[in-house]
Amino acid sequence: QVQLVESGGGLVQAGGSLRLSCAASGSIFRFTAMGWYRQAPGKQRELVASITWGGSTNYADSVKGRFTISRDNAKNTVYLQMNSLKSEDTAVYYCNRKSGGFASWGQGTQVTVSS
């Protein structure tokens, strides 16, 4: 039973944009803060952006001003708009709860930024 499905990654040149989507089951999504995480090769998974059920957002300093997180509560979907991409943004991107314990991780979506 798949509960988190990420999509929208790809290969993009530095300075380009991508929009990631994450479809979540209602049991994970409803009334819960959600986050986008990323894991680069050889590095730990890190939180890059989060959004509460009501729409309040927070960003890691490394992506502030370039990434925008949003959610559609009717569709159980959270988005990550990524602009002005840099090579250091290259990673597998995942979504999951921000609080209340992680759900099982999805397969993630690969973002590769070429310089």
Side-chain angles (χ1 to χ4, degrees), residues 15-94:
S17 298
L18 285 172
R19 189 191 193 211
L20 307 183
S21 298
C22 171
S25 65
S27 61
I28 295 173
F29 191 88
R30 201 167 294 120
F31 306 124
T32 301
M34 295 293 292
W36 278 100
Y37 302 78
R38 69 185 180 189
Q39 187 167 21
K43 295 188 176 181
Q44 288 191 331
R45 193 170 294 174
E46 62 173 342
L47 177 67
V48 296
S50 63
I51 185 167
T52 66
W53 175 256
S56 297
T57 58
N58 265 296
Y59 299 92
D61 287 343
S62 58
V63 306
K64 202 170 292 184
R66 300 188 298 120
F67 290 11
T68 303
I69 189 171
S70 60
R71 66 191 292 163
D72 185 333
N73 290 339
K75 294 182 178 180
N76 290 351
T77 301
V78 61
Y79 305 97
L80 187 68
Q81 177 67 43
M82 306 187 295
N83 298 328
S84 302
L85 283 161
K86 305 176 180 180
S87 57
E88 51 262 45
D89 295 319
T90 294
V92 179
Y93 285 71
Y94 304 85

Side-chain angles (χ1 to χ4, degrees), residues 10-18 82 85 90 111-115:
L11 173 64
V12 63
Q13 288 189 332
S17 298
L18 285 172
M82 306 187 295
L85 283 161
T90 294
V111 171
T112 303
V113 184
S114 63
S115 56

